[in-house]
Amino acid sequence: MTEKRLYKARGERKVCGVCGGIAEYFGIDPTIVRLICLLLCIGYGSGLIVYLIAAVVMPEPPADPFEP
């Protein structure tokens, strides 16, 4: 059994890949995660702080040896 890890998105990246990475981890559409993040940014202001912290803390995905 492989362990699931949370990484920034490689393909679904708009700004830093945080929302795309969260969407990949939970197996949902990245647009839903982006909308939730946008609502948190507009409504409470905490979404931006959480996004910036996640952008710094979340690691990049490991390099795929089969990708050119």
Side-chain angles (χ1 to χ4, degrees):
M1 179 192 246
T2 61
E3 182 180 326
K4 255 173 95 168
R5 302 274 328 245
L6 180 62
Y7 293 110
K8 292 180 185 176
R10 186 181 302 269
E12 275 295 328
R13 179 174 276 202
K14 295 294 181 191
V15 178
C16 291
V18 173
C19 292
I22 292 170
E24 286 177 7
Y25 184 80
F26 289 110
I28 57 176
D29 187 22
T31 306
I32 295 170
V33 178
R34 289 184 186 114
L35 286 173
I36 292 170
C37 183
L38 179 68
L39 290 174
L40 288 174
C41 286
I42 292 172
Y44 300 105
S46 63
L48 181 62
I49 295 168
V50 171
Y51 187 89
L52 292 174
I53 291 171
V56 171
V57 173
M58 283 175 63
E60 294 289 330
D64 188 7
F66 300 108
E67 208 173 88

